[in-house]
Amino acid sequence: MSRPPKAVNYDLTAILGLDELEVIRYEDGQYIAMNADHEVPKCIYCGGDTRNHDTRTRSFYDCIKDEEGEPQFIYLTYEQYMYQCLNTDCHSLFPRKIDFARGNSKLTKRLEEMIVHYGMFLSYGDIKCKFENKISRTTVKETISNWTKRHDEDRGAFYTPEILCIISFETTKVNYILIADGVDENKCILDVLPDIGSGQVMSILSRFDKSKIKRVVVDVNPTIVDTIRDQLPGVEIQVHTSALLLCAKKEFELLINSEGPHLYKVDRQSLLKSPQELATLEGSSNEVKWLNDQITYENNRISHITGTKPRIGAAYENMINLYKVLSTDSDYTNLKKWEDTVSIVCPEDFELTIAYIEHYMEELLNFYLRRTKVTMEIYNELVILNNIIDEFKAYSADVLRSKILYQVEPLLAEVDGKTLWRGVPLEKVLDITKKLLNEWRRRR
Ligand SMILES: [Zn+2]
């Protein structure tokens, strides 16, 4: 048995573009639609036959895409049939199941997705404007938060990697920690912690089987190092030497800014390049002469600045030395020598770097001694991901989590008959984040 089909407006149905629905008419700014499935369903409780009972109206906020592919806010009125079970013992009254919206939500699922999508581009208030102020800022915030929470819950239990990477990042908008599988051939992001705190780190560690963790690779953040030392006694901790280099580079940049406030931007950039970057500018062979000229030019500029500004000159020399010390063919005792020299020559210029070397000497050596076998290139890729993220202007920690963790297909592991979450492949996350950045640049 099926209900008599009402006159369907196929043009409007195509514009609405929800397979589940047929649009009857457009009236007072509302798309009025019914279910495209005309069959009377079986009882959802007992499986018995049912009959049409009555129709109820549900209103939704929705969005369609206009010709330019831009989302356009619409009101959707759904005429929902109610069905009554004919089984006298059951006699239940129920509506047909729908897939385009969730439970009692006023928003369609695709509008929720669109709000989450815009989270990286716009502030909550701007998203509200994007949808003509028809949805409130609170709705935007809650939609993103609930969307992320639902996906969090779907992850279930976590797979424990042998090498765990716990790296902190600070952007102009949020501070956060990336938890990743540090095994070279895996390279997956397992979680994003929306703050840098020991409580956060302890809570994520409790999701792993601690007995399976062999090594933890961290950056120089004291909160992380101290928490891991405390929570995972006996597990080898490695402080990634690139994190130390990054710290020295930041201190050097601060010095350049204070000692040479009038330096050209290109000169600042040249000073911050590593020796490898300076020596091997990329280009095709017919550009070799131009490149050589460029390298000579940059080196001359650097010599000029370091010669006329002695404090920058001394710090620059120490930066170059640190690159050498941390390269793969250097001896680890050189790190101690570097620290001793800098402590005498310009201690205030590399204050933090010196402090980290002192506090993390053992952990730095742990990394250092394995560096020829374990590349740990994941660290540099996570830094690249953070640099891309930092280019977006507005996002919250919730949005960041949704974008990193739930935009690509996750990997699962079968362990002892259980299906475990093993994270999202970093390579794919990088790809999709770059695409998102391109979209954002186009819109700007
Ligand atoms: Zn029934």
Side-chain angles (χ1 to χ4, degrees), residues 46-272:
C46 73
D49 288 336
T50 65
R51 65 173 175 83
N52 286 342
H53 183 266
D54 62 355
T55 315
R56 293 176 189 178
T57 301
R58 279 185 73 181
S59 303
F60 292 98
Y61 300 143
D62 187 23
C63 70
I64 52 173
K65 288 201 172 163
D66 65 16
E67 280 143 16
E68 274 93 54
E70 286 297 307
Q72 212 189 336
F73 182 88
I74 59 161
Y75 289 107
L76 172 66
T77 300
Y78 175 54
E79 297 206 350
Q80 180 180 54
Y81 269 76
M82 299 299 290
Y83 300 93
Q84 180 132 52
C85 180
L86 296 173
N87 180 346
T88 43
D89 292 337
C90 177
H91 219 58
S92 304
L93 192 64
F94 63 93
R96 184 191 296 278
K97 255 189 84 176
I98 51 167
D99 196 42
F100 64 88
R102 209 179 308 281
N104 293 321
S105 178
K106 291 274 283 175
L107 278 58
T108 59
K109 283 184 190 172
R110 65 180 179 184
L111 178 60
E112 290 178 354
E113 293 287 337
M114 203 42 98
I115 290 171
V116 174
H117 181 72
Y118 274 104
M120 247 356 231
F121 307 151
L122 306 168
S123 67
Y124 292 156
D126 287 342
I127 296 176
K128 176 185 145 212
C129 295
K130 181 91 197 159
F131 294 107
E132 299 166 22
N133 293 314
K134 303 286 173 26
I135 40 177
S136 69
R137 201 180 168 282
T138 312
T139 305
V140 171
K141 189 171 185 288
E142 281 174 2
T143 301
I144 293 172
S145 162
N146 292 338
W147 190 95
T148 313
K149 249 184 237 156
R150 269 197 308 277
H151 284 78
D152 281 347
E153 282 159 15
D154 286 348
R155 288 187 297 185
F158 275 41
Y159 164 83
T160 305
E162 275 186 15
I163 307 175
L164 198 59
C165 262
I166 304 183
I167 312 291
S168 69
F169 291 100
E170 290 175 13
T171 72
T172 42
K173 273 72 66 182
V174 291
N175 297 339
Y176 65 100
I177 298 174
L178 289 176
I179 309 289
D181 183 336
V183 177
D184 273 347
E185 50 272 26
N186 293 351
K187 282 203 265 181
C188 285
I189 298 179
L190 286 144
D191 210 348
V192 181
L193 310 185
D195 195 6
I196 304 172
S198 58
Q200 297 262 0
V201 178
M202 276 156 71
S203 147
I204 187 70
L205 287 178
S206 71
R207 298 195 74 156
F208 296 113
D209 179 351
K210 290 182 186 171
S211 67
K212 288 191 176 153
I213 303 172
K214 289 192 178 152
R215 295 196 287 280
V216 183
V217 180
V218 293
D219 64 304
V220 290
N221 190 300
T223 305
I224 296 180
V225 183
D226 290 346
T227 312
I228 302 295
R229 277 175 177 167
D230 189 52
Q231 294 291 309
L232 296 173
V235 171
E236 184 179 310
I237 306 173
Q238 303 178 348
V239 169
H240 202 300
T241 50
S242 292
L244 186 73
L245 200 57
L246 213 60
C247 169
K249 217 169 153 178
K250 270 187 198 160
E251 289 196 283
F252 182 48
E253 192 174 3
L254 284 176
L255 177 73
I256 296 172
N257 291 343
S258 70
E259 287 292 298
H262 304 301
L263 287 179
Y264 292 117
K265 196 180 166 195
V266 281
D267 286 343
R268 284 165 205 271
Q269 284 167 343
S270 297
L271 283 167
L272 287 167

